[in-house]
mmCIF file with all atom_site columns, all heavy atoms in Angstrom:
data_model
loop_
_atom_site.group_PDB
_atom_site.id
_atom_site.type_symbol
_atom_site.label_atom_id
_atom_site.label_alt_id
_atom_site.label_comp_id
_atom_site.label_asym_id
_atom_site.label_entity_id
_atom_site.label_seq_id
_atom_site.pdbx_PDB_ins_code
_atom_site.Cartn_x
_atom_site.Cartn_y
_atom_site.Cartn_z
_atom_site.occupancy
_atom_site.B_iso_or_equiv
_atom_site.pdbx_formal_charge
_atom_site.auth_seq_id
_atom_site.auth_comp_id
_atom_site.auth_asym_id
_atom_site.auth_atom_id
_atom_site.pdbx_PDB_model_num
ATOM 1  N N   . THR A 1 269 ? -0.216 -33.925 -61.390 1.00 0.00 ? 269 THR A N   1
ATOM 2  C CA  . THR A 1 269 ? 1.193  -34.169 -60.637 1.00 0.00 ? 269 THR A CA  1
ATOM 3  C C   . THR A 1 269 ? 1.432  -32.903 -59.728 1.00 0.00 ? 269 THR A C   1
ATOM 4  O O   . THR A 1 269 ? 1.906  -33.076 -58.625 1.00 0.00 ? 269 THR A O   1
ATOM 5  C CB  . THR A 1 269 ? 2.186  -34.410 -61.741 1.00 0.00 ? 269 THR A CB  1
ATOM 6  O OG1 . THR A 1 269 ? 1.872  -35.409 -62.589 1.00 0.00 ? 269 THR A OG1 1
ATOM 7  C CG2 . THR A 1 269 ? 3.466  -34.673 -60.933 1.00 0.00 ? 269 THR A CG2 1
ATOM 8  N N   . THR A 1 270 ? 1.195  -31.757 -60.361 1.00 0.00 ? 270 THR A N   1
ATOM 9  C CA  . THR A 1 270 ? 1.582  -30.603 -59.512 1.00 0.00 ? 270 THR A CA  1
ATOM 10 C C   . THR A 1 270 ? 0.565  -30.445 -58.330 1.00 0.00 ? 270 THR A C   1
ATOM 11 O O   . THR A 1 270 ? 1.064  -29.897 -57.333 1.00 0.00 ? 270 THR A O   1
ATOM 12 C CB  . THR A 1 270 ? 1.432  -29.303 -60.240 1.00 0.00 ? 270 THR A CB  1
ATOM 13 O OG1 . THR A 1 270 ? 0.072  -29.149 -60.841 1.00 0.00 ? 270 THR A OG1 1
ATOM 14 C CG2 . THR A 1 270 ? 2.362  -29.366 -61.617 1.00 0.00 ? 270 THR A CG2 1
ATOM 15 N N   . ALA A 1 271 ? -0.594 -30.889 -58.548 1.00 0.00 ? 271 ALA A N   1
ATOM 16 C CA  . ALA A 1 271 ? -1.649 -30.992 -57.364 1.00 0.00 ? 271 ALA A CA  1
ATOM 17 C C   . ALA A 1 271 ? -1.102 -31.864 -56.231 1.00 0.00 ? 271 ALA A C   1
ATOM 18 O O   . ALA A 1 271 ? -1.343 -31.620 -55.044 1.00 0.00 ? 271 ALA A O   1
ATOM 19 C CB  . ALA A 1 271 ? -2.942 -31.242 -57.870 1.00 0.00 ? 271 ALA A CB  1
ATOM 20 N N   . LEU A 1 272 ? -0.710 -33.011 -56.686 1.00 0.00 ? 272 LEU A N   1
ATOM 21 C CA  . LEU A 1 272 ? -0.332 -34.054 -55.704 1.00 0.00 ? 272 LEU A CA  1
ATOM 22 C C   . LEU A 1 272 ? 0.963  -33.759 -55.104 1.00 0.00 ? 272 LEU A C   1
ATOM 23 O O   . LEU A 1 272 ? 1.234  -34.103 -53.882 1.00 0.00 ? 272 LEU A O   1
ATOM 24 C CB  . LEU A 1 272 ? -0.206 -35.481 -56.395 1.00 0.00 ? 272 LEU A CB  1
ATOM 25 C CG  . LEU A 1 272 ? -1.616 -35.994 -56.907 1.00 0.00 ? 272 LEU A CG  1
ATOM 26 C CD1 . LEU A 1 272 ? -1.499 -37.200 -57.995 1.00 0.00 ? 272 LEU A CD1 1
ATOM 27 C CD2 . LEU A 1 272 ? -2.431 -36.526 -55.726 1.00 0.00 ? 272 LEU A CD2 1
ATOM 28 N N   . GLU A 1 273 ? 1.945  -33.418 -55.869 1.00 0.00 ? 273 GLU A N   1
ATOM 29 C CA  . GLU A 1 273 ? 3.289  -33.012 -55.367 1.00 0.00 ? 273 GLU A CA  1
ATOM 30 C C   . GLU A 1 273 ? 3.749  -31.660 -56.012 1.00 0.00 ? 273 GLU A C   1
ATOM 31 O O   . GLU A 1 273 ? 4.335  -31.685 -56.998 1.00 0.00 ? 273 GLU A O   1
ATOM 32 C CB  . GLU A 1 273 ? 4.326  -34.145 -55.594 1.00 0.00 ? 273 GLU A CB  1
ATOM 33 C CG  . GLU A 1 273 ? 4.085  -35.335 -54.716 1.00 0.00 ? 273 GLU A CG  1
ATOM 34 C CD  . GLU A 1 273 ? 5.267  -36.415 -54.905 1.00 0.00 ? 273 GLU A CD  1
ATOM 35 O OE1 . GLU A 1 273 ? 6.293  -35.936 -55.388 1.00 0.00 ? 273 GLU A OE1 1
ATOM 36 O OE2 . GLU A 1 273 ? 5.079  -37.448 -54.462 1.00 0.00 ? 273 GLU A OE2 1
ATOM 37 N N   . PRO A 1 274 ? 3.514  -30.608 -55.278 1.00 0.00 ? 274 PRO A N   1
ATOM 38 C CA  . PRO A 1 274 ? 3.781  -29.291 -55.877 1.00 0.00 ? 274 PRO A CA  1
ATOM 39 C C   . PRO A 1 274 ? 5.146  -28.753 -55.890 1.00 0.00 ? 274 PRO A C   1
ATOM 40 O O   . PRO A 1 274 ? 5.490  -27.662 -56.439 1.00 0.00 ? 274 PRO A O   1
ATOM 41 C CB  . PRO A 1 274 ? 2.877  -28.344 -55.134 1.00 0.00 ? 274 PRO A CB  1
ATOM 42 C CG  . PRO A 1 274 ? 2.820  -29.020 -53.673 1.00 0.00 ? 274 PRO A CG  1
ATOM 43 C CD  . PRO A 1 274 ? 2.747  -30.487 -54.073 1.00 0.00 ? 274 PRO A CD  1
ATOM 44 N N   . ASP A 1 275 ? 6.078  -29.546 -55.542 1.00 0.00 ? 275 ASP A N   1
ATOM 45 C CA  . ASP A 1 275 ? 7.429  -29.145 -55.438 1.00 0.00 ? 275 ASP A CA  1
ATOM 46 C C   . ASP A 1 275 ? 8.466  -30.058 -56.305 1.00 0.00 ? 275 ASP A C   1
ATOM 47 O O   . ASP A 1 275 ? 9.604  -30.142 -56.167 1.00 0.00 ? 275 ASP A O   1
ATOM 48 C CB  . ASP A 1 275 ? 8.034  -29.396 -53.926 1.00 0.00 ? 275 ASP A CB  1
ATOM 49 C CG  . ASP A 1 275 ? 8.013  -30.796 -53.438 1.00 0.00 ? 275 ASP A CG  1
ATOM 50 O OD1 . ASP A 1 275 ? 7.343  -31.522 -54.068 1.00 0.00 ? 275 ASP A OD1 1
ATOM 51 O OD2 . ASP A 1 275 ? 8.311  -31.191 -52.468 1.00 0.00 ? 275 ASP A OD2 1
ATOM 52 N N   . VAL A 1 276 ? 7.755  -30.456 -57.518 1.00 0.00 ? 276 VAL A N   1
ATOM 53 C CA  . VAL A 1 276 ? 8.592  -31.254 -58.449 1.00 0.00 ? 276 VAL A CA  1
ATOM 54 C C   . VAL A 1 276 ? 8.801  -30.398 -59.632 1.00 0.00 ? 276 VAL A C   1
ATOM 55 O O   . VAL A 1 276 ? 7.912  -30.136 -60.375 1.00 0.00 ? 276 VAL A O   1
ATOM 56 C CB  . VAL A 1 276 ? 7.882  -32.549 -58.854 1.00 0.00 ? 276 VAL A CB  1
ATOM 57 C CG1 . VAL A 1 276 ? 8.773  -33.372 -59.858 1.00 0.00 ? 276 VAL A CG1 1
ATOM 58 C CG2 . VAL A 1 276 ? 7.611  -33.512 -57.646 1.00 0.00 ? 276 VAL A CG2 1
ATOM 59 N N   . PRO A 1 277 ? 10.053 -29.880 -59.849 1.00 0.00 ? 277 PRO A N   1
ATOM 60 C CA  . PRO A 1 277 ? 10.342 -29.022 -60.932 1.00 0.00 ? 277 PRO A CA  1
ATOM 61 C C   . PRO A 1 277 ? 10.055 -29.480 -62.306 1.00 0.00 ? 277 PRO A C   1
ATOM 62 O O   . PRO A 1 277 ? 9.481  -28.748 -63.146 1.00 0.00 ? 277 PRO A O   1
ATOM 63 C CB  . PRO A 1 277 ? 11.904 -28.665 -60.864 1.00 0.00 ? 277 PRO A CB  1
ATOM 64 C CG  . PRO A 1 277 ? 12.169 -28.997 -59.424 1.00 0.00 ? 277 PRO A CG  1
ATOM 65 C CD  . PRO A 1 277 ? 11.267 -30.118 -58.996 1.00 0.00 ? 277 PRO A CD  1
ATOM 66 N N   . SER A 1 279 ? 7.646  -31.416 -63.563 1.00 0.00 ? 279 SER A N   1
ATOM 67 C CA  . SER A 1 279 ? 6.261  -31.366 -63.895 1.00 0.00 ? 279 SER A CA  1
ATOM 68 C C   . SER A 1 279 ? 5.882  -29.963 -64.388 1.00 0.00 ? 279 SER A C   1
ATOM 69 O O   . SER A 1 279 ? 5.235  -29.808 -65.384 1.00 0.00 ? 279 SER A O   1
ATOM 70 C CB  . SER A 1 279 ? 5.406  -31.759 -62.766 1.00 0.00 ? 279 SER A CB  1
ATOM 71 O OG  . SER A 1 279 ? 5.505  -30.918 -61.643 1.00 0.00 ? 279 SER A OG  1
ATOM 72 N N   . PHE A 1 280 ? 6.529  -28.938 -63.841 1.00 0.00 ? 280 PHE A N   1
ATOM 73 C CA  . PHE A 1 280 ? 6.225  -27.551 -64.229 1.00 0.00 ? 280 PHE A CA  1
ATOM 74 C C   . PHE A 1 280 ? 6.836  -27.247 -65.548 1.00 0.00 ? 280 PHE A C   1
ATOM 75 O O   . PHE A 1 280 ? 6.321  -26.563 -66.393 1.00 0.00 ? 280 PHE A O   1
ATOM 76 C CB  . PHE A 1 280 ? 6.643  -26.556 -63.191 1.00 0.00 ? 280 PHE A CB  1
ATOM 77 C CG  . PHE A 1 280 ? 5.660  -26.481 -61.967 1.00 0.00 ? 280 PHE A CG  1
ATOM 78 C CD1 . PHE A 1 280 ? 5.879  -27.124 -60.820 1.00 0.00 ? 280 PHE A CD1 1
ATOM 79 C CD2 . PHE A 1 280 ? 4.435  -25.749 -62.066 1.00 0.00 ? 280 PHE A CD2 1
ATOM 80 C CE1 . PHE A 1 280 ? 5.141  -27.225 -59.746 1.00 0.00 ? 280 PHE A CE1 1
ATOM 81 C CE2 . PHE A 1 280 ? 3.604  -25.744 -60.852 1.00 0.00 ? 280 PHE A CE2 1
ATOM 82 C CZ  . PHE A 1 280 ? 3.954  -26.511 -59.827 1.00 0.00 ? 280 PHE A CZ  1
ATOM 83 N N   . SER A 1 302 ? 7.602  -21.065 -62.357 1.00 0.00 ? 302 SER A N   1
ATOM 84 C CA  . SER A 1 302 ? 7.476  -22.055 -61.194 1.00 0.00 ? 302 SER A CA  1
ATOM 85 C C   . SER A 1 302 ? 8.642  -23.133 -61.195 1.00 0.00 ? 302 SER A C   1
ATOM 86 O O   . SER A 1 302 ? 9.344  -23.416 -60.081 1.00 0.00 ? 302 SER A O   1
ATOM 87 C CB  . SER A 1 302 ? 6.237  -22.707 -61.071 1.00 0.00 ? 302 SER A CB  1
ATOM 88 O OG  . SER A 1 302 ? 5.072  -21.881 -60.984 1.00 0.00 ? 302 SER A OG  1
ATOM 89 N N   . LEU A 1 306 ? 11.547 -23.457 -58.296 1.00 0.00 ? 306 LEU A N   1
ATOM 90 C CA  . LEU A 1 306 ? 11.613 -24.700 -57.660 1.00 0.00 ? 306 LEU A CA  1
ATOM 91 C C   . LEU A 1 306 ? 13.062 -25.377 -57.830 1.00 0.00 ? 306 LEU A C   1
ATOM 92 O O   . LEU A 1 306 ? 13.761 -25.833 -57.009 1.00 0.00 ? 306 LEU A O   1
ATOM 93 C CB  . LEU A 1 306 ? 10.653 -25.771 -58.113 1.00 0.00 ? 306 LEU A CB  1
ATOM 94 C CG  . LEU A 1 306 ? 9.089  -25.610 -57.593 1.00 0.00 ? 306 LEU A CG  1
ATOM 95 C CD1 . LEU A 1 306 ? 8.314  -26.455 -58.382 1.00 0.00 ? 306 LEU A CD1 1
ATOM 96 C CD2 . LEU A 1 306 ? 9.154  -25.899 -56.108 1.00 0.00 ? 306 LEU A CD2 1
#
Side-chain angles (χ1 to χ4, degrees):
T269 306
T270 60
L272 291 165
E273 288 192 17
D275 58 350
V276 179
S279 58
F280 286 97
S302 296
L306 287 169

